[in-house]
Amino acid sequence: MKIRKLITFSLCLVTLFVLLYNYRVAEAEKYNSYGDAMDYVHLGVSLLKTGNYGHLELESGELLNDFKSGAIDEKDYDFKTYSTWRPPFWPYTISLIFFLFGFKLTHLIVFKMLLHIVGSFIFYKTLKNLNFDYWPIVITVFLYCVSPSWQIYSRVFLSEPITLFLFTVFIYLLTQKHALRSSKKTISISIVGSLIIICHPYFLFFPFLGFLFLLVFKQVDFKRFVLGGIFILIIPLAWMLRNSWVLETNSLLLTTSTGAVMAKGWNKNVLKLHNNVNGDLADETLVLADYNAEHRYKDDEVSKMNLYKDATVNFIKTHSDLLLPIILKKLKSAFNPFAEYRKAGVLEKGRVIYHVLGFLAMIFVLFSKNKITRSLSLTLIFSTICITIITYSGFRFRVPQSALELFFVAFLIQFICERIAQKRIISTI
C-alpha cells in the first residue's frame, strides 16, 4: 500500500511539472502565434468587439501587436465580413473567456490548463466507475495527463484541447450506469456529441456512427437511437441555418473550409506527397489545373468553397484511374500509427508510442465482452474511414480522439492484470 501511494505521489509530481513546463512554454510563445491558431482568437475578438462572427478590418500581425501592447482593451475594430471558415464552439468559448476575464492571451492558456486538469479527473472517474483495478487507472490517467499530443497543442490556440475535453465527457456520460436507458442521459450524450462536431468537424461522423453501433449491439433501443440522432443534429443544424442566412446562400454548410480540405485530399500530388504527419501537404489549388470554370464563381467565401468542391468532384470524375490508389494511400496513412515523415523532438517520438498503444488497444477491444467499448472501437474505425475518404485524416491528425484511445488502453491493461492475477492464483493451488 505504501508503494502504491509513493507511485501515485511521484506521478502527480511529474504531471505537475509537465503542466507547469507547458504553461511556461505557452506563455513565452503566446505572441508568436500565427495561422490557424490565431484565426480562432481573431474570431473570438470579433464576437466580443462587434457581435459578429467573422473577419475584422486588420492588417497582418495587427491583432497580436494589440494584445502585446494592451491596446486591444480600449480599441474599436471595424467588422469586415461574415465567415464560417472555422467551426464555432472554440471561438465562442474564447469570446466568453475574454468577456469574463479581459483581453489577455494568458487567460486562454490558463483556461486550457485548468480544462485539462478537469478532463483528467473526469477520465479518472470514468475508469473508477467501471471498477478498474489500481494499475489500469494509474497508468492510463497518467498517460492522459502527460499526453505528448496534448502538450504540443496546449501551447497554441487551436481547438484540439477543448475537443479532447469534450471527448472525455462523452465517454464519461456514455459509460455511466444505465446511461442509455435514460432519455435525459441519452440527450446529454447527444448534445456533447453535437458540440464535438461544431468544435472539430473532422469528427462529423463519430456521434452518429456511435449511436448506430450501439443500436446494432443492442445497447440502446430504437426510440433512444432516434432521440439521440435528433439531438446530435440540433446544434450543427442551427449553425448551418445561421450560415445560410448571414452568408446568403441556399447551401447548408458547417464550414466553408470544406472545399479546400477536400481538394487537399483529392489531387494528383496526393499519391506522392500525402503522409500521416503532413497530410495536407498537397496544394488545394492543384485541382483547379484541369477545371476551367473559375469565372462562374464570385470572389467570396462560399463561392471559393464551391469552386474547390466542384473542382474536386470534377477531378474524381475525370481521374477514375486514380480513385482507388488515392483512397488506399489515404487509408494506409490514416491507420498507420507510425510516423511516415520524421519530425524531431521528444514529444513527437512520444506520440508514436501513444498511437501504437492506442491502435493495438483499439483492435483488442473489438474482441472484448464489453459491447459499449466494442461499439466505440468500430465507431472510431468507420468514422476515420469516412472522413479520410472524403478529405484526409488519421490517428496522428486527430489529437482529441486520444481520450478514446487511452480508454481502450485501460481495457487492455485491465485484461493483462486479470490474467496475471489468475496465474498467481493457479500457481498457489
Side-chain angles (χ1 to χ4, degrees):
M1 187 63 68
K2 289 183 179 180
I3 294 177
R4 287 188 174 187
K5 288 182 178 179
L6 180 61
I7 291 172
T8 303
F9 180 72
S10 300
L11 294 179
C12 287
L13 285 180
V14 173
T15 299
L16 180 61
F17 171 79
V18 169
L19 291 172
L20 292 176
Y21 176 75
N22 274 274
Y23 172 81
R24 184 176 178 180
V25 173
E27 181 68 14
E29 296 293 324
K30 64 184 178 183
Y31 295 126
N32 295 324
S33 186
Y34 59 91
D36 294 354
M38 202 58 203
D39 281 353
Y40 286 101
V41 177
H42 185 145
L43 289 167
V45 172
S46 177
L47 281 166
L48 202 53
K49 288 286 187 177
T50 69
N52 297 315
Y53 189 93
H55 303 296
L56 300 171
E57 197 73 59
L58 291 170
E59 298 293 331
S60 178
E62 184 179 346
L63 189 61
L64 265 177
N65 290 333
D66 290 342
F67 271 106
K68 193 172 184 178
S69 66
I72 191 170
D73 290 304
E74 305 299 331
K75 189 173 180 180
D76 292 324
Y77 296 91
D78 294 325
F79 183 71
K80 184 179 181 180
T81 180
Y82 287 106
S83 173
T84 186
W85 182 264
R86 305 292 177 191
F89 189 73
W90 178 225
Y92 272 95
T93 304
I94 290 174
S95 68
L96 178 62
I97 294 167
F98 286 155
F99 173 75
L100 294 174
F101 304 106
F103 288 99
K104 301 289 183 183
L105 294 178
T106 299
H107 296 154
L108 300 183
I109 298 170
V110 172
F111 172 78
K112 287 188 295 180
M113 298 296 169
L114 294 175
L115 193 70
H116 191 59
I117 293 171
V118 174
S120 300
F121 178 73
I122 293 174
F123 189 73
Y124 162 78
K125 288 293 293 181
T126 301
L127 302 183
K128 194 72 174 175
N129 291 343
L130 291 172
N131 297 317
F132 277 73
D133 294 336
Y134 170 81
W135 287 113
I137 292 176
V138 168
I139 293 172
T140 50
V141 170
F142 175 70
L143 291 175
Y144 182 103
C145 291
V146 302
S147 165
S149 296
W150 175 83
Q151 289 187 58
I152 292 169
Y153 283 90
S154 69
R155 301 171 183 180
V156 292
F157 301 116
L158 292 169
S159 63
E160 274 75 3
I162 195 169
T163 319
L164 169 65
F165 176 79
L166 290 173
F167 257 91
T168 307
V169 175
F170 183 87
I171 299 167
Y172 171 74
L173 293 175
L174 184 61
T175 55
Q176 284 185 317
K177 192 174 182 180
H178 305 310
L180 295 171
R181 297 180 188 176
S182 164
S183 295
K184 289 183 179 180
K185 289 182 179 180
T186 300
I187 291 171
S188 298
I189 296 166
S190 304
I191 290 174
V192 175
S194 69
L195 294 179
I196 289 173
I197 293 173
I198 64 168
C199 193
H200 211 308
Y202 272 112
F203 297 106
L204 173 65
F205 300 104
F206 184 86
F208 299 104
L209 287 174
F211 271 87
L212 178 61
F213 282 113
L214 288 168
L215 177 67
V216 170
F217 283 105
K218 299 180 180 180
Q219 298 303 293
V220 62
D221 58 33
F222 187 75
K223 173 186 173 183
R224 291 184 179 84
F225 166 74
V226 174
L227 182 68
I230 291 172
F231 275 88
I232 289 171
L233 275 174
I234 285 176
I235 296 177
L237 184 59
W239 180 247
M240 290 178 181
L241 293 173
R242 171 265 178 197
N243 294 337
S244 296
W245 179 52
V246 300
L247 298 177
E248 299 178 349
T249 175
N250 294 325
S251 302
L252 282 176
L253 47 96
L254 191 63
T255 65
T256 48
S257 59
T258 304
V261 176
M262 285 178 63
K264 287 181 178 181
W266 286 99
N267 57 71
K268 292 178 180 179
N269 279 17
V270 170
L271 286 172
K272 181 171 62 175
L273 296 180
H274 181 87
N275 61 74
N276 62 9
V277 177
N278 309 107
D280 62 348
L281 198 60
D283 185 356
E284 67 265 24
T285 61
L286 290 172
V287 295
L288 303 180
D290 301 321
Y291 188 68
N292 302 315
E294 291 90 332
H295 62 279
R296 303 178 195 168
Y297 301 88
K298 299 177 182 178
D299 187 22
D300 61 69
E301 198 169 281
V302 175
S303 293
K304 289 178 181 177
M305 178 202 71
N306 287 327
L307 169 62
Y308 283 118
K309 183 180 69 175
D310 294 344
T312 302
V313 173
N314 177 72
F315 174 84
I316 293 171
K317 288 180 178 178
T318 56
H319 294 82
S320 57
D321 58 317
L322 297 180
L323 186 63
L324 186 58
I326 287 177
I327 290 175
L328 292 176
K329 170 70 174 181
K330 293 195 291 182
L331 289 177
K332 174 180 170 291
S333 291
F335 287 96
N336 184 359
F338 295 97
E340 294 177 332
Y341 178 85
R342 183 174 295 179
K343 292 185 76 173
V346 175
L347 293 181
E348 289 297 336
K349 290 181 175 63
R351 287 181 71 177
V352 173
I353 296 172
Y354 270 64
H355 290 304
V356 170
L357 281 174
F359 181 80
L360 293 175
M362 180 190 71
I363 300 302
F364 168 78
V365 298
L366 279 175
F367 304 96
S368 69
K369 295 180 181 179
N370 190 305
K371 292 183 179 180
I372 289 180
T373 311
R374 288 165 65 187
S375 300
L376 288 173
S377 179
L378 287 168
T379 299
L380 184 57
I381 291 170
F382 281 93
S383 64
T384 301
I385 290 172
C386 290
I387 200 66
T388 298
I389 292 175
I390 295 173
T391 58
Y392 60 89
S393 184
F395 274 44
R396 289 183 54 80
F397 296 143
R398 307 282 66 86
V399 173
Q401 72 184 36
S402 60
L404 192 53
E405 293 171 28
L406 288 172
F407 182 65
F408 298 154
V409 170
F411 275 87
L412 177 57
I413 298 174
Q414 177 72 17
F415 174 82
I416 294 171
C417 289
E418 288 174 354
R419 288 297 176 271
I420 292 173
Q422 286 176 4
K423 286 183 179 180
R424 285 178 178 174
I425 293 172
I426 293 173
S427 63
T428 58
I429 297 175

